[in-house]
Amino acid sequence: MAVAETSDRLSAFLSSGIYRLESCNAVFIDPVRVLNRSYSRFRVSPSMYYSRFFDSKHEDQESRFSSNSRKRKRKEKQPHALNERERSADERHQEARPLLLKAHESLLEATDLLSVICNLRNDVCSLTESEESLPIVEQSFVELGRVWQAPLYEIILHFHQHCNPSGDGSSPLIRYKEERVIPIFNNLVVNETSDNVEAEFLNSRYVIPRESCFYMSDLRQIHNLIPAESDCGFSLIVVDPPWENKSASQKLVYSTLPNRYFLSLPIKKLTHTEGALIALWVTNREKLRGFVEKELFPAWGVSYAATFYWLKVKSDGSLISDLDLFHHRPYECLLLGYCHGEGMDSEYQSRLKPLQDNQVIISIPGDYSRKPPIGELLMEYVPELKPARCIELFAREMQAGWISWGNEPLHFQELRYFRGTREKG
């Protein structure tokens, strides 16, 4: 029976990208498989998603070489006394440590899954000729959105439609195309069809998932997403703020903002009448956690409910860094809470599925600061509105059925992040 259950879990993982680990409150996810469920004629490229693929053998060789070459130069660091914030951060870590260790042990015991994980970066299909010749042009949407010409920039959407004129199944499908040219900044760009859409902007090509849309703007324009009526609001709001971060600033990976800017996010006004589940990504800095608990959630009207952990591993299942490494923990936190809508009374709240605290999401990290797609894992805790209305704030990629807002929601939608499985013609 146990063998059959394991086989079923692995089979489910290969199709869904989600593997529920035994005897603990944890799941392993393959973001590539999860994201690919948003696409039909395209596939997210594993080699592009896992561009920082953590190959333990390669890294071990590098670390040994590095440590040997610097052994004489490196001075032993003297242990220092922790200040008050560091002590608080360490207390949080010590509370989380046992459940993170248990989740990691469960992963290492799932040998069937580990045999698949080590090959996640391998592509299963090759680039088409047209894609091989594509020049790599890194568009800076942040910079383009700031210039005076921003309102003049347009994106071209190429819709590929299929229809059956007779409707009786006897006539062959007829294919036709439609193009739309619309402003790309400060405008809701919508793909309302059940198929992926190719888009062009400044000689670069992008893929828009089915039934999705994006609004590309800076923080000053987010009020344009506030619905006229609260019963048109959102029931799941995922927020991944560009927190001030020395590492991000040094690497020039993305623009960051001071914490006080996020106090102005209109979470309450974006919330549906029946309420919304709010999911906020945070780093392990104690100063930031204090800011969220004492200022940010109260300003948003959000009541804290639970903490999830994103545990990062290498291709062999080992952690990307030592669990107790103080300033570089191998995990991040997802803080969850509810923003109560007008129709969310105590009786309604009692019908919500209780959020189970301390859940662990395990995956191999993708590109810098690229978070795993966690929408499906949260859906069972979302207020009862069906279908759920979902939005991601500060998004850098898109998903089917979601609205993505930020100053670069097309960042990971560029065609070079995909593999060609498109039809010809």
Side-chain angles (χ1 to χ4, degrees):
M1 182 65 72
V3 174
E5 288 179 0
T6 300
S7 177
D8 289 344
R9 278 200 303 274
L10 185 62
S11 178
F13 168 74
L14 294 175
S15 60
S16 70
I18 299 174
Y19 187 104
R20 300 195 177 274
L21 295 164
E22 276 190 298
S23 67
C24 71
N25 202 14
V27 299
F28 178 89
I29 71 171
D30 173 17
V32 172
R33 282 182 166 85
V34 175
L35 290 171
N36 275 336
R37 291 158 66 185
S38 293
Y39 302 96
S40 53
R41 293 182 295 113
F42 297 87
R43 287 291 179 268
V44 175
S45 165
S47 61
M48 290 299 290
Y49 186 94
Y50 294 115
S51 58
R52 298 190 300 151
F53 200 63
F54 292 86
D55 187 330
S56 57
K57 293 180 181 178
H58 177 68
E59 291 196 352
D60 286 346
Q61 289 172 356
E62 281 194 346
S63 64
R64 280 198 298 271
F65 175 79
S66 176
S67 60
N68 289 336
S69 63
R70 298 177 188 175
K71 196 173 285 183
R72 295 180 181 178
K73 299 179 182 179
R74 187 177 293 168
K75 293 181 180 179
E76 249 186 69
K77 290 186 178 180
Q78 297 296 324
H80 72 282
L82 299 179
N83 61 35
E84 186 177 349
R85 273 190 187 145
E86 288 173 331
R87 285 196 300 273
S88 297
D90 191 57
E91 287 173 9
R92 287 188 196 270
H93 172 67
Q94 294 304 327
E95 290 176 7
R97 194 175 187 277
L99 64 99
L100 293 170
L101 284 173
K102 184 177 181 181
H104 187 229
E105 287 170 5
S106 295
L107 172 66
L108 295 179
E109 290 170 1
T111 54
D112 60 326
L113 177 62
L114 290 176
S115 65
V116 176
I117 292 175
C118 64
N119 294 311
L120 285 184
R121 194 173 189 269
N122 296 339
D123 282 338
V124 296
C125 55
S126 58
L127 286 169
T128 62
E129 288 183 12
S130 60
E131 288 164 358
E132 287 177 338
S133 61
L134 281 175
I136 296 178
V137 181
E138 191 75 42
Q139 300 289 3
S140 176
F141 291 109
V142 178
E143 294 301 322
L144 291 173
R146 289 173 179 164
V147 300
W148 67 267
Q149 299 100 322
L152 305 178
Y153 284 121
E154 295 177 319
I155 188 169
I156 305 172
L157 303 183
H158 300 280
F159 291 86
H160 296 254
Q161 301 283 349
H162 295 77
C163 67
N164 190 327
S166 66
D168 60 2
S170 58
S171 300
L173 290 173
I174 295 176
R175 176 174 174 176
Y176 61 91
K177 295 183 180 180
E178 176 193 349
E179 285 189 359
R180 296 179 197 168
V181 182
I182 51 181
I184 190 171
F185 293 108
N186 303 326
N187 181 46
L188 190 64
V189 179
V190 181
N191 172 18
E192 73 280 9
T193 72
S194 58
D195 195 7
N196 315 139
V197 166
E198 292 181 67
E200 288 183 50
F201 176 67
L202 296 184
N203 298 319
S204 291
R205 294 158 67 186
Y206 301 86
V207 182
I208 311 299
R210 68 178 185 276
E211 299 170 350
S212 67
C213 47
F214 71 86
Y215 194 101
M216 185 147 46
S217 75
D218 61 22
L219 194 54
R220 293 170 296 180
Q221 305 298 325
I222 192 174
H223 64 273
N224 291 325
L225 287 174
I226 297 173
E229 303 292 338
S230 60
D231 59 2
C232 294
F234 300 96
S235 55
L236 175 57
I237 304 176
V238 174
V239 193
D240 184 17
W243 303 111
E244 283 187 306
N245 183 318
K246 289 181 181 178
S247 177
S249 301
Q250 290 168 356
K251 295 180 181 179
L252 300 176
V253 179
Y254 56 83
S255 300
T256 61
L257 290 173
N259 292 349
R260 67 180 183 276
Y261 279 58
F262 307 122
L263 293 167
S264 64
L265 286 174
I267 299 297
K268 191 75 174 178
K269 293 181 179 179
L270 291 170
T271 297
H272 191 273
T273 304
E274 303 295 339
L277 175 64
I278 314 299
L280 174 69
W281 287 104
V282 296
T283 65
N284 291 311
R285 290 173 55 222
E286 186 60 26
K287 181 180 179 181
L288 179 56
R289 292 293 293 270
F291 169 72
V292 171
E293 293 170 1
K294 297 174 183 177
E295 297 184 56
L296 193 61
F297 269 10
W300 289 355
V302 173
S303 56
Y304 169 80
T307 298
F308 286 9
Y309 297 89
W310 173 30
L311 188 62
K312 307 173 190 179
V313 297
K314 300 178 185 178
S315 58
D316 65 349
S318 61
L319 300 178
I320 65 167
S321 63
D322 189 284
L323 185 60
D324 297 315
L325 196 60
F326 195 87
H327 292 293
H328 298 281
R329 311 266 198 222
Y331 64 88
E332 293 184 42
C333 298
L334 184 69
L335 303 185
L336 300 161
Y338 283 103
C339 189
H340 295 246
E342 298 170 6
M344 203 173 181
D345 56 24
S346 56
E347 182 183 346
Y348 181 86
Q349 293 177 47
S350 66
R351 297 200 303 269
L352 289 174
K353 181 175 180 178
L355 253 171
Q356 196 169 2
D357 200 11
N358 295 327
Q359 297 193 46
V360 182
I361 301 163
I362 307 175
S363 76
I364 298 174
D367 209 345
Y368 190 87
S369 191
R370 191 176 188 180
K371 304 300 191 298
I374 41 89
E376 185 174 345
L377 300 175
L378 301 177
M379 210 58 70
E380 59 185 308
Y381 305 109
V382 171
E384 293 178 354
L385 176 70
K386 303 296 181 188
R389 286 180 50 80
C390 310
I391 186 171
E392 181 176 4
L393 305 183
F394 303 103
R396 300 174 76 208
E397 67 185 321
M398 301 176 67
Q399 293 184 67
W402 285 63
I403 292 181
S404 301
W405 171 84
N407 56 14
E408 49 177 357
L410 292 182
H411 182 85
F412 291 114
Q413 299 304 130
E414 193 175 349
L415 192 58
R416 65 191 176 98
Y417 290 104
F418 294 82
R419 284 309 211 184
T421 60
R422 294 170 296 163
E423 303 168 60
K424 294 181 180 181

